Amino acid sequence: MFRSRSKDEQAATAKVTADQPQQPRDPQAPKGRPTPKRNDAQSQRRSRAHTPANRKDAAKAQREARRADMARQREALANGDERYLPVRDKGPVRRFARDYVDSRWCVAEFFLPMAVVILVLTMIRVPSIQSIALLLWLVLIVLIVLDSVLIWFRLSKRLAERFPNENLKGVKAYAVMRTLQMRRLRLPKPQVKRGQRP
């Protein structure tokens, strides 16, 4: 009972442990490199943290970070960089909807220039010109509604074909709202030419 183990037993246990596969190292344990000296670790922590000393400095740092984010976002809106776009414009589905709208002529994009023309015509104190202006106004609104309905249904069909498993909530409304902006004022900037199908 209290005697030492024989050499045969020691060899058998050594063989059993050798046959067992080594357990994989815990990914949390960052060894395989020497432990850094305390001074080095503290200086690295300080340089990483860089927390401001008072509230005024913290607010200033936050403003600077926000300004940098906004600058990156403006640049992304200009060149279409997906990484820094606002959440409302991100993703392949929204990009497809934008490209679909930008690749075609839309009646709604001429709404603002036509509205100015109609407004000028209504200011002229000639009854026949004023009635023409009102008729133009009615025709413009009907054409915009018809074109928007057409875009809604055609885009819905294309999205269902192209992105069957994606969440399409709000994409058609997003596309229709984009048609109301003049092409050169749209953000993100158009990435396709007219007639170039996405």
Side-chain angles (χ1 to χ4, degrees), residues 144-154 176:
I144 288 172
V145 168
L146 288 174
D147 192 40
S148 298
V149 168
L150 199 64
I151 287 171
W152 185 283
F153 285 112
R154 283 184 177 172
V176 169

Side-chain angles (χ1 to χ4, degrees), residues 19-117:
D19 291 344
Q20 291 177 347
Q22 292 245 346
Q23 288 190 354
R25 221 170 63 70
D26 182 18
Q28 298 280 329
K31 277 302 177 187
R33 59 178 173 72
T35 304
K37 300 244 190 284
R38 176 176 281 178
N39 291 340
D40 296 339
Q42 285 176 345
S43 65
Q44 283 179 350
R45 267 202 310 273
R46 274 196 217 104
S47 66
R48 250 186 264 140
H50 236 45
T51 53
N54 57 19
R55 184 183 283 177
K56 191 174 180 182
D57 290 343
K60 186 177 179 184
Q62 197 174 15
R63 271 198 308 275
E64 289 297 324
R66 196 178 312 122
R67 199 171 290 138
D69 285 346
M70 292 303 288
R72 271 201 309 261
Q73 206 173 77
R74 273 195 302 276
E75 193 177 327
L77 287 169
N79 62 22
D81 188 359
E82 282 282 330
R83 292 173 297 168
Y84 303 115
L85 284 176
V87 177
R88 130 194 108 97
D89 298 314
K90 273 187 180 176
V93 178
R94 299 280 170 135
R95 183 181 180 94
F96 179 79
R98 284 196 305 272
D99 290 348
Y100 181 81
V101 168
D102 295 336
S103 67
R104 59 197 313 270
W105 291 93
C106 303
V107 179
E109 67 185 281
F110 301 108
F111 174 74
L112 284 177
M114 288 298 293
V116 171
V117 169

Side-chain angles (χ1 to χ4, degrees), residues 9 115 153 157 162:
E9 286 180 63
F153 285 112
K157 186 179 176 185
R162 195 115 181 221

Side-chain angles (χ1 to χ4, degrees), residues 155-176:
L155 181 62
S156 178
K157 186 179 176 185
R158 295 283 302 276
L159 286 170
E161 290 170 3
R162 195 115 181 221
F163 305 99
N165 300 323
E166 294 283 336
N167 181 14
L168 304 177
K169 185 178 180 182
V171 177
K172 291 170 282 207
Y174 172 77
V176 169

